[in-house]
Amino acid sequence: MCERQLSPDEKYNLISRNLQEVLGEDKIKSTLKEHDLKIYWGTATTGKPHVAYFVPMSKVADFLRAGAEVTILFADLHAYLDNMKAPWELLALRTQYYEHTIKAMLRSIGVPLEKLKFVKGTDYQLSKEYTLDVYRLSSVVTEHDAKKAGAEVVKQVEHPLLSGLLYPGLQALDEEYLKVDAQFGGVDQRKIFTFAEKYLPQLGYAKRAHLMNPMVPGLTGSKMSSSEEESKIDLLDTPANVKKKLKKAFCEPGNIENNGVLSFVKHVVFPLFDESQGFVVKRKPENGGDVEFDNFDALERAFAKQEVHPADLKASVEIQINRLLAPIIKEFEAPELKKLAEKAYPPPIKQKGGNQPAINNVSDEILPSRLDIRVGQIVEVGRHPDADALYVEKIDLGDGEPRTIVSGLVNYVPIEEMQNRKVIVLCNLKAAKMRGIESQGMVLCASVDDPKQVEPLDPPEDALPGERVFVENFESGVPDVVLNPKKKVWEKLQIDLKTSGECLAQWQGNNLLTKSGGKIRSKTITGAPIK
């Protein structure tokens, strides 16, 4: 039996229900009289997706029910621009994680994936045409408007990077390049939406409509945030964790303001029910027994009158959340997805004596971010006057004056290959005299003993002297001024520095990278210690 065709008004009601604001309502209604709406929703692949992502997903379900063509954009380039300082390799992993989790969420709520289009930002945002439009846009946008547009979305700092100012323009251009009638997002993106409405026509492109979800409170009563662990339920949280987090959730008796538990029922649970379903609040017989609500307004009124106790509401929401998460958790039991989750979001470890998590690390003391590793360029090299096996190098490390470094490479690298060579240098070892000459660092090399072979590590060709080298997933740490030799920090970290089967320099399987995402490698030596 064929489904009844919805009228344009019925489609609009589905598209707009539970939204906080619609910009371009008349335009949407006139479009629906001509053809089904084309909508896109984008998500920057940064923080780990959590249960609040079911809010936009339930709207995606509404859009599809209304016959809309929906594009989901995995905005990897936007993520890079948002002052996150994450290398491309990490963003690539997170983009893969987002795609798997978003698709798993949609399957969890019964959304057919074949009706959706999934696009990665860098699939088209690096094209010649798009790049030229970025330049065209930058010629008409003021610094004031760019900064204002990103104020609610882009991470704000005292001295913003140019990348954060570009972010709103790229999001505006996406509307044209994805050929949509409307963009959907949270109300926190309103300034970007009005920015797009102002500037796209100046490039000769059509002004689009904008659909805005309210900002749903987290479990603490404020915005649900990826960075605030107790405010959100992870998509892979166990039932025990769900219970624990809901138990701590802000849900004051009779208080319907900033109530994340109630908001979840409104924006996720009820929209996913069909007309025959209601929301059942489980209660003990002595508390009146189970009670069913056909619509959210009735539940909200009952809670406001304290006819529904917070503990009973939480227990009932717990059932719904676990029902949604179960198929996602099952999918991520696959070994390849488990590995992907671990690599994209390494688990944080608590620091000693505090509640703040350490930068993603495997130890609370010995962190690879403590190493000051930099790209260097040898500007002068000669033989050590008192040691036949040693070179004495002057290396530019971005300090203004070259450093003197002594290396035991005479028997492995001809002197002509050392001159003007770019190398990787550990810069914060305590200075030490080597046969009478003070060495102020160490050139890092891949080394095997049988047969003896040593190769200095090579930085990317475009790397500059002084450019910092960090370990993937540990990029935000601050190096020690000088590594304390008594604590053996270098020795403990060096054990896990090795070349991979592809000659890549790694620490515990994480690549050594420059700021631009370039990889460090040995020319030919695989599976060998780096020292």
Side-chain angles (χ1 to χ4, degrees), residues 52 61 125 202-203 214 216 248 259 289 343 431 435 471 505 524:
Q125 289 165 345
Q202 294 189 36
L203 299 187
V216 176
K248 294 181 180 179
N259 188 324
K343 291 188 72 176
R435 301 294 290 270
V471 176
T524 64

Side-chain angles (χ1 to χ4, degrees), residues 64-81:
L64 291 174
R65 290 190 193 104
E69 296 179 26
V70 181
T71 297
I72 291 180
L73 173 67
F74 298 113
D76 52 346
L77 184 55
H78 293 73
Y80 186 76
L81 293 176

Side-chain angles (χ1 to χ4, degrees), residues 13-44:
N13 289 337
L14 258 180
I15 288 168
S16 62
R17 73 170 177 173
N18 285 338
L19 294 179
Q20 181 160 325
E21 188 176 3
V22 176
L23 298 176
E25 178 180 343
D26 291 341
K27 183 176 179 64
I28 292 174
K29 288 181 174 178
S30 63
T31 300
L32 286 170
K33 291 176 182 176
E34 299 172 5
H35 60 78
D36 286 326
L37 212 62
K38 295 180 180 178
I39 304 170
Y40 107 79
W41 173 73
T43 179

Side-chain angles (χ1 to χ4, degrees), residues 7 36 41 54 81 119 339 371 401 411 413 418 426 468:
S7 69
D36 286 326
W41 173 73
F54 275 112
L81 293 176
V119 178
K339 186 175 180 181
L371 303 177
E401 292 291 328
N411 297 327
V413 185
M418 293 292 288
L426 177 62
R468 174 90 191 275

